[in-house]
Amino acid sequence: MYAVNFLLLSAALFSIGVFGVIARRNAVMVLMSIELILNSVNLNLIAFALINNDIDGHIFALFVIAIAAAEVGVGLAMVLMIYRNRRSIALDELSEMHG
Amino acid sequence: MLLAAEETAAAAGWFLENAWLIPVIPFVAFFIILLLGKRMPRGGSEVGIASMVAALVIAAGAAFQWIDRVDSAHGEEVAPVIKQWTWWQSGGTKFGVGEHIDGLAVMALLLVAFISTLVQIYSTEYVKGDRRYTHFFASITLFSAGMLIMVLAPNMVQLILGWEIMGLTSFLLIGHWWEERANSEAALKAFWTVRVGDVGLLVGTAMLLGIFGTLDIQGINEMAAAGEFASHKVLMWAAVALFIACIGKSGQFPLHTWLPDAMAGPTPVSSLLHSSTMVVAGVFLVARIYPVFHVGLEINAAGQTFNLIAVIGGITVIVAAALAFVQDDIKKVLAYSTVSQLGYMMMGLGVGAWTASVFHIFTHAFFKCCLFLVAGSISYTASHHSFDMKKDMGGIWKKMPISFGAWMVSTAALCGIPFFSGFFSKDEIIDSAKYADYTIFYIVGIVGAFMTTAYMTRATYLTFFGTPRGGAAHFMGVDHHDDHAQDAHGQDAHGHDDHADDHDDHGHDAHDAPEPGKPFPFAPFDSPWKITAPLLILGTLAVGSGYLNAPALGIHWFEHQTESSIGLPIAHEDEGGSEAEIHDEEAVAVQAFAAPRAGEGAEAEGGHAEVDPIYTVPEPPKFKWSSAAPGLLLVLAGFLVSLLLSLAVFGKKKNALSPFVGLTRRSKPVGAIHTFLVNKLYLDYLYEKVIFRAFAHPISKAAYWFNQSVIDGVVDGTGRSAKRTGDWVYRNIDQRVVDGAVNASGMVASESGHALQPVQSGKVNQYGALLFSAAAVGAIVLILLNV
């Protein structure tokens, strides 16, 4: 078992996630991309936990999943509210907070 | 915490041990009267009287136990009963309160409690219906408490406390009828004049603390008597400072001017103030710490012909007696008489006649209190609240037998007529002055006795004999032709206008509708019993108190009871001379022998010689009728001269002295003396006009100039330079440096904000891109650093 396999997969997922966050206009898609990023991190954690035969990584991954769930819950609720108010969830239209 | 030795107190008996209760009871009563008095059926007077009776009972118990203590000592030294509790402490110095009971204290306690009781009983009648009846009793009770606190004092701090309580309450009582401006001014005058002296008390006490390191009276007395002090000069100045306080308090020349004005208060107050409290406080202070004065002023030193105390006392005797001649107000005559008698006491202390002076305090209290109360009785019953002898008195002896009798007995005592109390005390002072080689003061004494008799004869004649005038005529029911009714109303407006009702109580109804020419008498007989009972008691004591110490009859009981309070050994005549010499030789021999060994020099050895009684007071002289004779002859002469003059001047009867009538108008020098006396030696003029104008005025002017030119100049200059500095700082430092820095930082923040503004696009994607690129940069840096 080589760590590089896990790391490559994780790096690929991370890159896809980053691309999604930067490039997508749909807020739901951005949230999903964030999930990808978090899961790539989880993959890393579990990979190293397996290699090092240590339980800490697993537990940390569980925490990350729980927090990701919460984050998505809050994020989707916000998206829902934005949609109700503006009939759109295009992120590039939401620039009222520009400096 | 108990500072004093327990064993002496334990053996002393309950009353001596708990004598501290004597001032505490009236002190507590004061607050009770003040808080609850108005709601009581008798306006609080019952509390006052009850507290004074309680104090009197304890004082009497203490007196009996003290006598017992002295008698059981069988001629040995009688230790005083001292108890002290720490009141407060400052640094290492503890200030105590407590009691110091010895013969002197017991005598004064008994005297004050007794006289206060009688005066309060008298007052219930005299100030009946007064609008400040309750406050009167509260003040007078506190007044007695103040004197009792002072008398008991085991240290100078408590003494000052009592002294000042009296100062305050005398102000309250003298100004009792403050609605009239003169009364409140008299109260202020009394207060301030005494305060002038009080500066001396504070300075002197501080000096005593510096000299002896203690404020305990016993310690001070012992160390002063033993010569345990570094510098005699400092002790002398301490004694002078303390004596200034006594001058103020005891109305000695030249600060006596407040005393006659203090007559503005109600008569019971004058009576109390002038007999056993307040004015006696100064004399008491000198007697209390007598060794300080005796050693400090070298009283009885060989060859001394005068000293400060004797001189002031002597001047006071003569000056006050002279002033008493020109007074029309009966209370003022008595006031000057008090001043004069206080002069006797001081003079006695100044010539070393401690016992005689203290005994004179004792006897004087009774007869002077009695005289004042008689004056009050007359004004209450006979003269429509007037004290003017020339306008409102005369001829009233027939209708006031008790007042008249008490007056005559007390006057006889005051004049020093043999076998009345004043004779035994005053004559002994005069005799002691002669015996101790203070010849000047012997002459002053007998001249003073002459003058005393003369002015008292004049006052007696004017008050009780001759034709009734004014209010007295009204009282006697004889014809009178002056506008007294107006006077009476004017006097009633004195602040006790409620009195108009009281007259009706004793049958006075002619007041409202006087029959022209011959009005009805408004009082049928002498004053009510509450007034006459104290007169009877005091009159009896004016005779009887003298027999406690009558050298003429070989009685030395009082002397025996109090001699331990002097604080100095008594030099006995028969062995005095040779013994002292032997002691001196021994001391010299010891010094000569010990000096080389000790190597400390003569001063340290000087402190050693105090085992011998260096300072002693002379033994009271043996009484001889022959030595009393000149004084007595002068008293008789004074009586005759004054009687004849009074008859000639006031009675318009021809006699041997009739040519002298009108002498003040005919002869310029005599007239000048008269004017001089009428104007009270111009002392008030001196204080008010000369000192205030000539000293205070230029001083205040100079102070004003100094204030305007120097202080204001300095202040203005400082202000101006401060303003200039401020301006410069504002322009250069504040505006340029501080503001510059602040503005610059603001500018930088603003500019960088503008520069970074485009970054805040509000677009989430851009933020994400920035975030990740920053994270990527961070990761690259991390990798590079770790490689």
Side-chain angles (χ1 to χ4, degrees):
Chain A
M1 203 191 301
Y2 296 110
V4 69
N5 299 334
F6 295 102
L7 294 182
L8 279 175
L9 176 60
S10 141
L13 278 176
F14 188 84
S15 302
I16 294 165
V18 168
F19 174 78
V21 167
I22 293 171
R24 303 304 295 218
R25 290 175 60 221
N26 191 321
V28 176
M29 296 308 284
V30 170
L31 280 177
M32 284 165 70
S33 305
I34 290 171
E35 287 302 304
L36 276 181
I37 292 170
L38 288 170
N39 280 326
S40 77
V41 173
N42 274 350
L43 203 60
N44 267 8
L45 285 168
I46 286 164
F48 285 113
L50 279 173
I51 291 167
N52 294 333
N53 200 16
D54 187 3
I55 198 86
D56 289 359
H58 299 280
I59 292 168
F60 207 76
L62 281 175
F63 274 99
V64 172
I65 290 165
I67 287 172
E71 181 245 312
V72 165
V74 174
L76 283 176
M78 283 165 66
V79 169
L80 204 60
M81 291 304 292
I82 291 167
Y83 180 76
R84 279 196 192 153
N85 281 329
R86 311 174 65 104
R87 294 276 141 204
S88 154
I89 49 168
L91 284 178
D92 52 351
E93 291 170 14
L94 298 172
S95 61
E96 280 92 347
M97 300 271 285
H98 68 89
Chain B
M1 183 180 21
L2 214 62
L3 295 178
E6 273 280 3
E7 63 270 21
T8 54
W14 191 88
F15 285 107
L16 288 179
E17 232 184 300
N18 294 298
W20 55 270
L21 282 171
I22 298 171
V24 169
I25 294 169
F27 197 75
V28 172
F30 161 71
F31 289 101
I32 296 175
I33 298 172
L34 209 57
L35 294 175
L36 307 171
K38 290 215 163 158
R39 282 181 222 147
M40 291 182 180
R42 285 164 195 274
S45 63
E46 64 269 58
V47 179
I49 293 175
S51 72
M52 290 325 301
V53 169
L56 178 60
V57 167
I58 300 178
F64 279 118
Q65 289 185 344
W66 176 259
I67 292 163
D68 192 43
R69 190 178 167 87
V70 172
D71 290 345
S72 60
H74 297 297
E76 282 170 36
E77 186 80 3
V78 192
V81 182
I82 298 176
K83 260 181 158 185
Q84 270 202 84
W85 294 271
T86 303
W87 178 17
W88 44 280
Q89 69 181 71
S90 169
T93 315
K94 283 178 180 158
F95 299 94
V97 285
E99 57 173 45
H100 175 121
I101 302 294
D102 57 4
L104 177 65
V106 162
M107 180 280 285
L109 285 173
L110 193 59
L111 194 66
V112 174
F114 183 74
I115 299 231
S116 302
T117 310
L118 289 185
V119 166
Q120 289 213 1
I121 292 171
Y122 181 96
S123 305
T124 55
E125 181 69 40
Y126 191 84
V127 294
K128 191 165 70 184
D130 192 272
R131 75 183 60 155
R132 281 186 292 275
Y133 186 79
T134 304
H135 290 153
F136 176 84
F137 275 92
S139 302
I140 208 164
T141 308
L142 184 65
F143 188 58
S144 303
M147 184 69 185
L148 292 167
I149 287 172
M150 195 205 112
V151 162
L152 268 179
N155 57 41
M156 293 301 289
V157 177
Q158 188 179 335
L159 195 139
I160 293 173
L161 175 75
W163 183 285
E164 297 299 347
I165 288 177
M166 270 191 286
L168 168 72
T169 43
S170 66
F171 168 76
L172 293 176
L173 288 168
I174 292 166
H176 182 70
W177 291 321
W178 48 259
E179 283 87 349
E180 218 165 289
R181 194 172 166 76
N183 295 350
S184 63
E185 271 173 3
L188 275 176
K189 186 174 175 184
F191 190 66
W192 290 120
T193 313
V194 174
R195 302 274 347 146
V196 169
D198 287 357
V199 175
L201 183 65
L202 293 179
V203 171
T205 306
M207 286 174 85
L208 286 182
L209 183 63
I211 297 167
F212 298 113
T214 177
L215 287 171
D216 290 351
I217 283 166
Q218 197 187 25
I220 290 170
N221 279 353
E222 279 171 2
M223 280 192 259
E228 287 172 29
F229 43 82
S231 157
H232 187 271
K233 201 149 240 168
V234 178
L235 186 69
M236 185 195 84
W237 284 112
V240 169
L242 289 168
F243 187 63
I244 289 169
C246 302
I247 290 176
K249 200 74 160 180
S250 284
Q252 299 293 297
F253 182 85
L255 293 180
H256 65 272
T257 53
W258 68 271
L259 251 176
D261 285 24
M263 292 301 108
T267 309
V269 173
S270 317
S271 173
L272 189 58
L273 200 113
H274 280 228
S275 59
S276 60
T277 57
M278 186 79 183
V279 295
V280 179
V283 184
F284 182 85
L285 173 64
V286 178
R288 177 85 280 185
I289 47 172
Y290 194 54
V292 171
F293 293 96
H294 192 270
V295 175
L297 299 171
E298 293 180 315
I299 295 167
N300 296 128
Q304 192 190 45
T305 50
F306 60 87
N307 60 53
L308 179 68
I309 296 183
V311 166
I312 295 287
I315 293 174
T316 311
V317 168
I318 299 296
V319 165
L323 287 168
F325 278 106
V326 294
Q327 304 303 322
D328 293 340
D329 185 323
I330 185 169
K331 275 171 83 182
K332 289 211 165 152
V333 173
L334 296 176
Y336 281 113
S337 156
T338 306
V339 174
S340 172
Q341 296 302 308
L342 290 165
Y344 268 112
M345 297 174 202
M346 280 297 182
M347 195 175 85
L349 289 167
V351 300
W354 189 92
T355 313
S357 291
V358 171
F359 192 54
H360 198 50
I361 295 179
F362 186 70
T363 56
H364 173 258
F366 295 121
F367 61 70
K368 186 52 61 67
C369 183
C370 186
L371 287 172
F372 270 109
L373 293 186
V374 170
S377 164
I378 292 166
S379 92
Y380 185 78
T381 305
S383 65
H384 265 302
H385 305 291
S386 164
F387 290 102
D388 196 314
M389 295 189 294
K390 282 188 178 161
K391 270 195 201 143
D392 287 315
M393 292 184 192
I396 55 178
W397 69 275
K398 281 177 226 156
K399 272 184 79 174
M400 301 190 86
I402 299 172
S403 301
F404 176 62
W407 173 278
M408 288 314 281
V409 167
S410 302
T411 303
L414 173 60
C415 299
I417 291 171
F419 306 113
F420 290 91
S421 63
F423 166 72
F424 297 117
S425 51
K426 188 154 81 175
D427 192 69
E428 206 184 345
I429 293 177
I430 298 169
D431 225 17
S432 299
K434 185 185 178 191
Y435 175 83
D437 293 330
Y438 287 98
T439 319
I440 308 166
F441 299 110
Y442 168 68
I443 295 166
V444 165
I446 56 174
V447 171
F450 167 79
M451 292 168 83
T452 307
T453 317
Y455 69 69
M456 282 313 289
T457 308
R458 169 181 175 271
T460 307
Y461 179 83
L462 278 174
T463 310
F464 287 102
F465 298 99
T467 45
R469 304 168 290 275
H474 196 174
F475 169 64
M476 297 300 290
V478 298
D479 200 357
H480 69 112
H481 299 288
D482 60 14
D483 51 351
H484 175 69
Q486 266 79 27
D487 277 6
H489 283 299
Q491 289 292 338
D492 270 354
H494 230 26
H496 45 154
D497 24 18
D498 316 37
H499 266 300
D501 305 332
D502 300 338
H503 292 310
D504 296 333
D505 294 342
H506 37 255
H508 156 58
D509 40 12
H511 192 290
D512 302 317
E515 249 176 73
K518 191 163 183 174
F520 289 117
F522 61 80
F525 198 52
D526 215 326
S527 302
W529 72 269
K530 280 178 190 163
I531 285 180
T532 50
L535 293 183
L536 284 172
I537 298 171
L538 287 168
T540 314
L541 283 167
V543 185
S545 63
Y547 290 92
L548 296 179
N549 201 55
L553 307 171
I555 303 171
H556 295 279
W557 185 82
F558 185 85
E559 184 190 331
H560 179 59
Q561 297 296 338
T562 54
E563 64 188 1
S564 65
S565 308
I566 305 178
L568 291 164
I570 298 170
H572 289 288
E573 162 69 347
D574 34 22
E575 50 194 350
S578 54
E579 189 108 322
E581 269 172 41
I582 293 166
H583 276 306
D584 280 355
E585 278 167 22
E586 271 175 11
V588 170
V590 168
Q591 271 187 34
F593 183 64
R597 271 196 303 175
E600 291 259 10
E603 278 215 24
E605 289 309 315
H608 231 293
E610 85 280 321
V611 202
D612 305 319
I614 308 170
Y615 308 105
T616 54
V617 290
E619 195 185 24
K622 298 265 179 304
F623 182 83
K624 284 190 220 91
W625 282 104
S626 58
S627 59
L632 291 177
L633 283 175
L634 274 174
V635 166
L636 183 65
F639 171 70
L640 289 174
V641 168
S642 179
L643 181 66
L644 290 175
L645 263 181
S646 299
L647 284 172
V649 176
F650 307 117
K652 312 266 189 303
K653 293 203 177 79
K654 281 256 172 220
N655 61 36
L657 291 175
S658 291
F660 289 103
V661 175
L663 194 65
T664 51
R665 281 183 297 280
R666 277 181 282 128
S667 153
K668 272 214 169 144
V670 182
I673 292 173
H674 184 259
T675 320
F676 187 57
L677 288 175
V678 167
N679 287 301
K680 298 181 263 180
L681 310 187
Y682 292 98
L683 273 178
D684 278 341
Y685 188 83
L686 174 77
Y687 294 150
E688 277 160 28
K689 298 277 158 46
V690 179
I691 292 184
F692 287 1
R693 284 277 157 76
F695 289 90
H697 214 244
I699 288 173
S700 68
K701 257 191 175 170
Y704 183 71
W705 176 85
F706 186 78
N707 189 22
Q708 289 294 311
S709 318
V710 180
I711 299 181
D712 273 16
V714 169
V715 172
D716 284 356
T718 316
R720 247 178 246 128
S721 62
K723 186 168 182 294
R724 241 175 258 142
T725 316
D727 280 347
W728 184 85
V729 167
Y730 175 73
R731 274 195 313 275
N732 293 302
I733 299 189
D734 193 56
Q735 291 292 303
R736 290 193 188 156
V737 179
V738 180
D739 273 17
V742 172
N743 286 345
S745 65
M747 201 97 81
V748 168
S750 164
E751 289 305 313
S752 58
H754 279 297
L756 291 172
Q757 197 180 23
V759 179
Q760 299 291 325
S761 60
K763 290 192 172 108
V764 180
N765 310 84
Q766 269 187 28
Y767 293 166
L770 278 172
L771 183 72
F772 286 117
S773 53
V777 170
I780 289 164
V781 170
L782 200 69
I783 289 164
L784 286 176
L785 284 178
N786 277 336
V787 168

